Amino acid sequence: MSEMSFEQMLEESFKTIRNGEVVEGTVIDVKPDEIVLNIGYKADGIITRNEYTNEANVDLTTLVSVGDTMEAKVLKVNDGEGQVLLTYKRLAAEKGSKRLEEAFENKEVLTAKVAQVLDGGLCVNVDETRVFIPASLVSDTYEKDLSKYQEIEFVISEFNPKRRRIIGDRKQLLVAKKLEQQKELFARIKIGDVLEGTVKNVTDFGAFIDLGGADGLLHISEMSWGRVESPKKVFKVGDQVRVFIKDINENKIALSMKFPAENPWNGAAEKFA
C-alpha cells in the first residue's frame, strides 16, 4: 500500500457533509452582511444576512461575535467558490415551528415582540417563525390603532405549517381573565355595597360602569336626586365615579348615585309646615 500524500491525509482528516445536514461551528469572522464559520470541514461555512434573519439591513456584527458557537443547516456543500453555504434562519424556523406546535397542543401562553403592523392584524416572530394575530383576535373590543402594541401575549389558536398558517389569539386570554374577575366580583358584592368604578360607555339612557370584572348600568333616573337631561352632559368615558349597588339580577348589576343620605327630602318635615 502506497503512503498517502499530505494532501490526502488532510482530506481524510476532515468530516464529510451533505446538503440538509445540521452542523455546528465556531464563528471565525463576522461582517455586517456575512458570518464565517469553522465547521470542521475542508472549507469554511458562510451564512449570509438573508440566511441569518428576516430582519432587513441588520448589521450582523451587532448580533454575533467571533468565538460564538452556533448550529446551522447546509444549503450547498459548494457554493461555486469552494465554500459551504449555510442557513441559520431556516434551521431556527424549523425549531420554532416545532416549538409553536408544542405551544398549540399545550395551550401555552407566549409573549413576543411585534415585528410588523398590518391593516388586518399583527405579525410576530417566534424563533424566526411567523405568527399572524388577526385584528379581531388582538383584543376583546375593537382596536382602531394597532401600532400601540410593541409586545403581545397570545396563544396559538390554529397551527397549519403546511399552509404556512399559524394564528395567534390574544382575545381568548382577555375573555378568560374577565370571566375570572367577574366570578370573583360577584362572589364578594351584595346589594347596598358602595364601589368605585370607571365610566366605560355613555348612552342616551344611562352609563355603563366598569366595576373591575363586570359592568353595571347606571340608569339616567339613578344619576341624581334631581333631573338629568342627558347622561352625555354629565359623564364621559374614563370618568371615575362612586356608586352603590341597587340590584343584582343574575349577571346584571343595577347601580345608583342617589345615596339615601343625600336625599333632599331628608328633614323636610322639620323644615316645612
Side-chain angles (χ1 to χ4, degrees):
M1 182 182 293
S2 61
E3 292 184 0
M4 290 190 296
S5 67
F6 176 76
E7 289 78 10
Q8 287 174 323
M9 287 188 293
L10 189 64
E11 184 80 19
E12 287 291 324
S13 68
F14 289 110
K15 63 183 179 182
T16 58
I17 59 174
R18 299 180 302 276
N19 289 347
E21 184 177 341
V22 177
V23 296
E24 185 175 338
T26 303
V27 178
I28 57 175
D29 189 23
V30 186
K31 300 173 184 177
D33 61 349
E34 185 179 87
I35 299 169
V36 183
L37 285 180
N38 177 0
I39 56 174
Y41 186 62
K42 61 184 178 181
D44 291 329
I46 302 296
I47 304 175
T48 63
R49 177 190 286 142
N50 289 339
E51 289 301 333
Y52 183 82
T53 179
N54 287 318
E55 189 176 343
N57 302 319
V58 68
D59 184 349
L60 295 180
T61 61
T62 64
L63 302 177
V64 179
S65 302
V66 172
D68 289 351
T69 58
M70 58 192 301
E71 284 189 329
K73 193 172 186 178
V74 178
L75 288 179
K76 288 183 180 179
V77 174
N78 189 335
D79 65 355
E81 298 181 2
Q83 295 172 316
V84 182
L85 186 60
L86 304 172
T87 178
Y88 173 82
K89 178 179 74 175
R90 301 187 203 187
L91 178 61
E94 289 175 8
K95 292 180 178 179
S97 182
K98 181 65 177 176
R99 167 87 174 87
L100 291 173
E101 183 179 10
E102 292 173 353
F104 172 66
E105 292 173 350
N106 298 328
K107 297 180 173 56
E108 181 184 349
V109 178
L110 302 171
T111 302
K113 291 183 178 179
V114 175
Q116 192 176 11
V117 179
L118 305 172
D119 290 338
L122 303 173
C123 284
V124 301
N125 287 324
V126 177
D127 295 336
E128 297 296 331
T129 303
R130 181 178 179 272
V131 179
F132 179 62
I133 306 176
S136 61
L137 299 180
V138 170
S139 179
D140 59 341
T141 57
Y142 172 69
E143 289 278 16
K144 185 177 181 180
D145 181 20
L146 296 179
S147 63
K148 68 181 183 181
Y149 290 96
Q150 305 298 316
E151 192 174 77
I152 190 167
E153 274 191 339
F154 60 95
V155 292
I156 304 298
S157 59
E158 185 176 342
F159 182 81
N160 191 336
K162 291 183 179 179
R163 293 179 56 194
R164 294 185 178 180
R165 184 177 172 84
I166 304 176
I167 303 298
D169 185 346
R170 177 174 176 260
K171 179 179 178 178
Q172 64 174 270
L173 295 179
L174 298 178
V175 170
K177 184 178 180 180
K178 285 188 176 181
L179 284 175
E180 185 63 29
Q181 290 177 332
Q182 185 184 72
K183 183 179 178 181
E184 293 175 358
L185 179 70
F186 277 94
R188 62 181 171 82
I189 62 173
K190 62 184 182 300
I191 294 174
D193 282 354
V194 177
L195 304 172
E196 295 284 340
T198 306
V199 177
K200 187 175 181 180
N201 189 26
V202 185
T203 68
D204 291 334
F205 60 84
F208 289 93
I209 312 299
D210 182 356
L211 302 173
D215 294 343
L217 174 61
L218 178 62
H219 192 267
I220 185 173
S221 62
E222 295 295 330
M223 291 182 174
S224 171
W225 284 106
R227 184 172 181 271
V228 175
E229 292 183 3
S230 171
K232 294 180 180 179
K233 292 182 179 180
V234 181
F235 299 107
K236 62 180 183 295
V237 174
D239 284 350
Q240 297 294 308
V241 294
R242 180 171 174 269
V243 295
F244 72 91
I245 298 175
K246 185 178 181 182
D247 192 24
I248 301 174
N249 185 3
E250 294 182 352
N251 63 342
K252 295 180 180 179
I253 304 173
L255 302 173
S256 178
M257 293 182 72
K258 295 167 69 171
F259 292 93
E262 299 171 3
N263 189 336
W265 290 103
N266 288 345
E270 290 75 26
K271 295 177 182 178
F272 307 103

